[in-house]
Amino acid sequence: FQNLTVYVNVPSNVPPTVTNRASLVGRQGDTVVNIPAQVTTPINSLDLGLRKSVDAATVSEGGQIEYTLTITNAGPAIAAPDTILVEDVAPQSLFFLEEDPADGSYDAAAGVWTVPDQIRPGDTITKRLIFSVADAEAGTQIINNATVISPLIPDYRPDNNTAGTSSVVAGLSIEKSQSLPPGASVIGAGQVFTYSINVPTPENGDFHNVMITDTLHPLLDYVRSTAGFSYNSATRTLTYNFRATDQIYSPGDGPIF
């Protein structure tokens, strides 16, 4: 018998080893002969994975948002420095501020992180990207996806190469409640009761130039209010204006009046 040669190509989704089996089938007299033979071929491939997280599910226009990218390598191949890319194009509502580590490996214009480190099997590599939130109205959903790519060595499991996050741009809100005199369920003529106004602010953002207005019902008489309110008797309107001092709300705080 002569030697038979088979040429094969390795596509990009082949696992670390491939076993190929051949069989010799024939008759020896009245006996059927079936002789198997197989070889296992190691493949230069790897299994990269990508995780992505965000530091806040709710952000504010003008505030900051931080993403963390984590690459894993399940092997068996070693990823050489500068051969692994992460495509992470930020939405238009985000403006790039900084990266950590600050090694210049993230190209904000192209939205590509070129990993400068070797990634051995079992290793993890992490990058933090910090952006400011601009030109985003309240209620806008910021969806940010990223994909890790191995251009040189085949990644045999691409289903874990993409990860994403979602955040919502929040705005200011206002809450109003009332307090009756102790033990009272209704208000009688001549009794004083209070309104409380609360302006909670969402996390991860500051607000400037905030104004609160409250127009009293025409059947109510104004008595007094928290220091800082101004009252216009002609329009029966109370105003609390932060613009006079350019006061800023800190994340999570809100005045109660």
Side-chain angles (χ1 to χ4, degrees):
F1 283 83
Q2 66 183 42
N3 289 328
L4 303 177
T5 303
V6 179
Y7 297 88
V8 296
N9 180 49
V10 179
S12 61
N13 59 346
V14 176
T17 59
V18 173
T19 299
N20 197 33
R21 180 185 178 97
S23 296
L24 174 66
V25 180
R27 283 184 176 275
Q28 187 176 15
D30 294 332
T31 304
V32 176
V33 177
N34 188 336
I35 303 173
Q38 68 179 36
V39 292
T40 298
T41 306
I43 305 296
N44 186 35
S45 62
L46 44 68
D47 174 18
L48 296 177
L50 181 68
R51 298 192 301 267
K52 184 170 187 176
S53 62
V54 63
D55 66 335
T58 302
V59 297
S60 304
E61 185 176 2
Q64 292 187 3
I65 188 169
E66 178 182 308
Y67 296 102
T68 301
L69 298 166
T70 302
I71 303 173
T72 60
N73 182 12
I78 298 173
D82 300 319
T83 63
I84 303 301
L85 307 177
V86 176
E87 294 181 344
D88 190 352
V89 179
Q92 291 184 348
S93 55
L94 299 183
F95 178 78
F96 176 67
L97 295 178
E98 60 180 294
E99 61 179 323
D100 180 27
D103 51 16
S105 59
Y106 178 68
D107 183 343
V112 175
W113 169 30
T114 302
V115 182
D117 306 298
Q118 173 181 266
I119 312 176
R120 301 181 64 84
D123 285 352
T124 59
I125 301 292
T126 299
K127 168 73 79 175
R128 292 168 55 245
L129 301 176
I130 302 172
F131 298 83
S132 63
V133 182
D135 299 327
E137 297 180 354
T140 300
Q141 190 175 29
I142 301 176
I143 298 175
N144 196 354
N145 297 322
T147 300
V148 62
I149 300 171
S150 174
L152 300 182
I153 301 177
D155 187 336
Y156 65 89
R157 188 187 165 200
D159 61 299
N160 62 347
N161 288 11
T162 298
T165 64
S166 176
S167 300
V168 176
V169 178
L172 286 172
S173 62
I174 188 169
E175 303 165 352
K176 188 172 184 178
S177 60
Q178 64 181 8
S179 299
L180 304 182
S185 58
V186 296
I187 280 291
Q191 288 186 298
V192 175
F193 69 102
T194 63
Y195 289 119
S196 296
I197 299 174
N198 180 40
V199 182
T201 57
E203 297 179 358
N204 201 29
D206 294 338
F207 289 87
H208 302 253
N209 302 336
V210 176
M211 176 189 293
I212 300 169
T213 60
D214 187 351
T215 302
L216 296 181
H217 191 279
L219 298 180
L220 297 177
D221 293 328
Y222 173 73
V223 178
R224 63 182 182 275
S225 59
T226 301
F229 265 116
S230 61
Y231 178 63
N232 186 322
S233 58
T235 61
R236 301 179 57 79
T237 300
L238 288 150
T239 303
Y240 197 102
N241 193 339
F242 284 84
R243 288 180 291 185
T245 57
D246 195 28
Q247 184 166 346
I248 303 174
Y249 288 111
S250 297
D253 295 337
I256 298 177
F257 305 105

